[in-house]
Amino acid sequence: LKTTWQIFTGTYLISPLYLAEVAKDTALLHGVQIRVHESPNSSEVVTYAPITLFPSPVPKSAFYQALAVQVHYNTLVDKISQDADFLQKALASTITVDNFTARLFKIHQQVLEEGKAQSIVLGLNRSDYMLDQKNEGCPTLKQIEINTFAASFAGLTSHTPHVHRHILKVAGCVEESQRILDNNSAAGLAEAIAKAWELYGSKRAIVMFLVEENQINIFDQRCIENELWKRNISTKRKRFRDVSKTGSLDPDRKLFVDGQEVAVVYFRNGYMPQNYQSEQDWQARLLMERSLAVKCPDIGTHLAGTKKVQQVLSQPGVLEKFFPEQPQVVEQIRSTFAGLYTLDMGDKTIEMALRTPGLFVLKPQREGGGNNLYGAELQQVLQEVKGSEERMAYILMDKIHPTPVQNILLKRDAPLKISTCLCELGVFGTYVRKGREMVLNKCAGHLLRTKSSEHADGGVAAGVAVLDNPLLL
């Protein structure tokens, strides 16, 4: 049978069934694993993370463009998080209609009124892109969103290059296997966490991973934990209920959970409304935000990653406010923007989207994948909200049209078949600031996710996309 790789090269014949088994075995061998809960009452199942059989082609120029702009996005997010007036103005309409964003903003206000206990800021973010082939000529890099909260898969994607290199060698593509880059994103994120822990200044204090009750993507997080343990930094996994029951602040506002001082709170949970099951969970979030512990993200950085802020940044003159007398930086960032539109005032934008829904994406203020609306769903929601203030809970964005690629998606219990796929490139960024001094600002690695073109939205955790590697062309 012809493999997907033969579609790329027109050269090799080998059984894709055999290569699929090799890929699965190699993934498990190299730690590319994910824990699956089939039902609340079932035993846990550990399986390989969903991956592509082959790496997907990515233009080298666009790839390095995404890496180069990341340090500027780090700086931008940090500056926004410190600008209370900007956040107030940007989110003013959203918080009147979106209860979740309003609740987060209330915590932000409470922290500012009391005064921030901690001057150390830790940022771990991921900027996501697609290559837009809408216009003739070379595809252009366009940002989908920037994730400032729980940017995932730095751990697993640190291991996937080994998998695809091995697969290509088995398929006889030794030369191509050498074009897959090393990618130790987990070490990059751990380096920034370790720097924040070091600046906190207590060797007895721990790094606390704030996690979900049932964590599907646990091995991704374990990779980062293991990197911290290599540096002799203790980590603990806690949930909102643990903080609620055993968390406290001492007179200096040091955070203690279960009797242990916490130097860094690394939030891997708390970015969706359903993460807060009770008022106690909200109070636990406030307790952590008020504390001396370094938060990743702190509440200002969380708000900086909202869709509404993304839309406001695209308006003329806004980037210049954050990068005065740096026109080259402004241009680097702005060149990655897709068209973004407010729904706050007037009906012109809504009517435009209703006439041509295939050209747009409707985005609520939500993270985690699977929240965006397209086509008929977009039309239905816009018809429902166009006459009310509820429309201010959304933004509208130009739909990106990437070039499809052929690949085989390896998912648990899914049939093996060649699919037409779309790729999304993510770039990890890390920064640590103490007071006004930026002590670390880096691009920490990359992530490629691929999904079948039949799915409009959804990531790996949502069961739609799979892990991939860029084959630079």
Side-chain angles (χ1 to χ4, degrees):
L1 295 176
K2 290 185 177 181
T3 66
T4 302
W5 193 250
Q6 192 179 10
I7 295 173
F8 298 155
T9 66
T11 304
Y12 297 102
L13 287 173
I14 197 168
S15 167
L17 292 170
Y18 169 70
L19 283 179
E21 291 305 314
V22 172
K24 295 172 187 177
D25 291 344
T26 309
L28 288 169
L29 177 65
H30 284 286
V32 185
Q33 303 167 33
I34 193 165
R35 187 170 74 186
V36 179
H37 295 270
E38 293 187 332
S39 74
N41 298 319
S42 71
S43 60
E44 294 177 344
V45 177
V46 176
T47 184
Y48 65 94
I51 58 173
T52 56
L53 184 57
F54 291 107
S56 295
V58 173
K60 187 181 295 185
S61 59
F63 177 82
Y64 284 111
Q65 178 191 357
L67 267 57
V69 77
Q70 186 58 44
V71 293
H72 301 315
Y73 268 116
N74 293 344
T75 302
L76 177 60
V77 168
D78 185 49
K79 287 185 175 184
I80 293 169
S81 73
Q82 299 175 68
D83 195 328
D85 290 339
F86 175 81
L87 286 173
Q88 169 75 53
K89 293 175 183 176
L91 296 171
S93 59
T94 303
I95 61 179
T96 64
V97 293
D98 188 290
N99 291 333
F100 180 61
T101 307
R103 191 71 189 262
L104 295 172
F105 192 79
K106 183 179 179 182
I107 292 176
H108 181 246
Q109 288 181 307
Q110 289 177 260
V111 170
L112 290 180
E113 289 170 5
E114 184 178 11
K116 292 182 179 180
Q118 182 55 265
S119 65
I120 301 168
V121 175
L122 168 63
L124 307 178
N125 61 65
R126 194 189 70 228
S127 187
D128 293 335
Y129 306 91
M130 280 185 167
L131 293 173
D132 194 5
Q133 194 66 62
K134 184 163 45 182
N135 301 318
E136 292 184 6
C138 295
T140 55
L141 189 76
K142 294 300 176 185
Q143 187 188 62
I144 299 167
E145 63 184 355
I146 188 162
N147 303 275
T148 64
F149 196 120
S152 59
F153 294 110
L156 296 187
T157 200
S158 299
H159 297 273
T160 54
H162 305 293
V163 178
H164 278 140
R165 285 182 188 136
H166 183 65
I167 293 303
L168 291 182
K169 290 175 183 177
V170 172
C173 305
V174 177
E175 181 180 347
E176 287 84 352
S177 72
Q178 297 169 355
R179 288 158 56 190
I180 296 177
L181 301 181
D182 287 332
N183 183 32
N184 200 349
S185 306
L189 268 60
E191 177 192 19
I193 297 172
K195 174 57 71 174
W197 175 87
E198 175 190 324
L199 292 173
Y200 181 87
S202 174
K203 291 186 177 181
R204 293 176 298 177
I206 64 169
V207 173
M208 184 176 77
F209 282 56
L210 199 285
V211 299
E212 298 176 66
E213 289 291 331
N214 295 311
Q215 187 65 63
I216 294 176
N217 191 25
I218 189 170
F219 291 116
D220 181 52
Q221 299 168 15
R222 290 293 193 196
C223 293
I224 300 171
E225 289 183 60
N226 291 341
E227 290 291 337
L228 292 170
W229 281 107
K230 289 178 185 178
R231 294 167 169 81
N232 297 317
I233 299 173
S234 299
T235 70
K236 293 287 184 181
R237 299 173 65 81
K238 299 293 182 180
R239 298 166 177 82
F240 273 123
R241 57 181 169 87
D242 299 319
V243 177
S244 181
K245 290 178 181 178
T246 68
S248 64
L249 304 185
D250 75 359
D252 297 322
R253 287 203 267 176
K254 292 179 181 177
L255 174 64
F256 290 84
V257 177
D258 201 19
Q260 291 184 296
E261 184 179 357
V262 178
V264 178
V265 178
Y266 178 28
F267 286 98
R268 294 298 297 245
N269 185 33
Y271 52 86
M272 294 189 291
Q274 56 265 39
N275 298 151
Y276 299 84
Q277 296 291 314
S278 66
E279 183 61 28
Q280 287 72 28
D281 290 347
W282 281 108
Q283 291 304 314
R285 176 70 186 273
L286 178 61
L287 180 78
M288 291 182 280
E289 293 292 342
R290 293 181 56 241
S291 77
L292 187 66
V294 180
K295 280 75 66 177
C296 180
D298 63 16
I299 190 66
T301 307
H302 187 174
L303 292 170
T306 55
K307 302 296 188 293
K308 184 59 183 177
V309 167
Q310 181 188 11
Q311 180 264 311
V312 171
L313 286 173
S314 70
Q315 296 175 349
V318 177
L319 282 179
E320 286 82 354
K321 166 184 166 58
F322 293 105
F323 295 98
E325 301 180 5
Q326 292 181 276
Q328 290 182 331
V329 173
V330 169
E331 179 54 34
Q332 273 187 273
I333 295 174
R334 184 166 285 144
S335 68
T336 67
F337 286 173
L340 293 153
Y341 313 92
T342 179
L343 300 183
D344 289 5
M345 299 180 296
D347 296 325
K348 186 179 293 186
T349 301
I350 289 180
E351 293 303 324
M352 173 180 68
L354 288 173
R355 284 196 308 271
T356 54
L359 299 180
F360 301 99
V361 182
L362 188 64
K363 293 188 168 188
Q365 310 300 316
R366 295 292 179 267
E367 305 299 332
N371 300 299
N372 297 333
L373 300 167
Y374 303 81
E377 285 186 310
L378 176 150
Q379 286 181 304
Q380 180 182 345
V381 171
L382 283 182
Q383 289 285 8
E384 292 172 355
V385 303
K386 69 176 184 178
S388 72
E389 291 185 341
E390 285 184 53
R391 64 186 182 184
M392 296 187 298
Y394 300 87
I395 68 163
L396 194 69
M397 177 176 166
D398 285 344
K399 187 177 180 181
I400 299 169
H401 296 82
T403 302
V405 298
Q406 298 291 309
N407 215 322
I408 296 176
L409 309 182
L410 303 180
K411 299 182 182 181
R412 183 168 172 264
D413 299 329
L416 190 70
K417 63 178 183 178
I418 294 176
S419 300
T420 301
C421 302
L422 306 175
C423 300
E424 182 176 325
L425 175 66
V427 179
F428 292 100
T430 61
Y431 63 90
V432 179
R433 175 173 51 81
K434 184 176 183 181
R436 295 185 177 182
E437 180 187 3
M438 188 71 85
V439 297
L440 183 151
N441 184 359
K442 291 185 176 182
C443 171
H446 60 272
L447 163 70
L448 193 68
R449 289 169 295 172
T450 298
K451 64 185 177 184
S452 170
S453 60
E454 66 187 16
H455 295 290
D457 193 28
V460 178
V464 174
V466 306
L467 301 177
D468 198 348
N469 276 296
L471 185 79
L472 298 184
L473 302 176

